[in-house]
Amino acid sequence: MEKLTLDIKDMELITWAKNYARSNSTSVRILFESHIRALKEFEKIEVKLSPELQNLRDPGQRPTEKEIEKHLVQRRK
């Protein structure tokens, strides 16, 4: 088992983490480890964009100023 030491200067954050861990019957180490694991798993997830959102990534597919104004006028009615 490797050891990792964190230097956290915010005493309020440290106190909160310890209290949170205690109230959830765990330790700050386990909280930290769980959070890092969740971040690692989240990074593996491939986000699939809908065709509509994918089109927004292409500069040529974005609405013109005139189209945006027309849309806003229609919404305001």
Side-chain angles (χ1 to χ4, degrees), residues 20-75:
Y20 182 87
R22 189 178 309 112
S23 68
N24 287 281
S25 302
T26 190
S27 67
V28 174
R29 181 192 63 81
I30 291 173
L31 286 176
F32 181 77
E33 188 175 332
S34 296
H35 185 69
I36 296 301
R37 284 187 195 284
L39 288 173
K40 183 180 175 188
E41 288 302 312
F42 181 77
E43 211 172 57
K44 291 179 185 177
I45 297 172
E46 183 179 329
V47 176
K48 302 208 184 213
L49 299 177
S50 68
E52 293 82 13
L53 289 178
Q54 187 64 40
N55 285 340
L56 293 175
R57 295 182 75 188
D58 299 328
Q61 300 295 321
R62 293 192 177 138
T64 64
E65 292 291 326
K66 192 176 258 188
E67 291 170 325
I68 293 171
E69 184 62 33
K70 181 180 174 185
H71 173 75
L72 292 175
V73 168
Q74 288 174 348
R75 283 192 63 188

Side-chain angles (χ1 to χ4, degrees), residues 5-23:
T5 302
L6 299 174
D7 183 20
I8 301 174
K9 293 177 179 20
D10 186 343
M11 194 60 197
E12 184 180 336
L13 184 62
I14 294 168
T15 302
W16 182 89
K18 287 179 179 181
N19 289 335
Y20 182 87
R22 189 178 309 112
S23 68

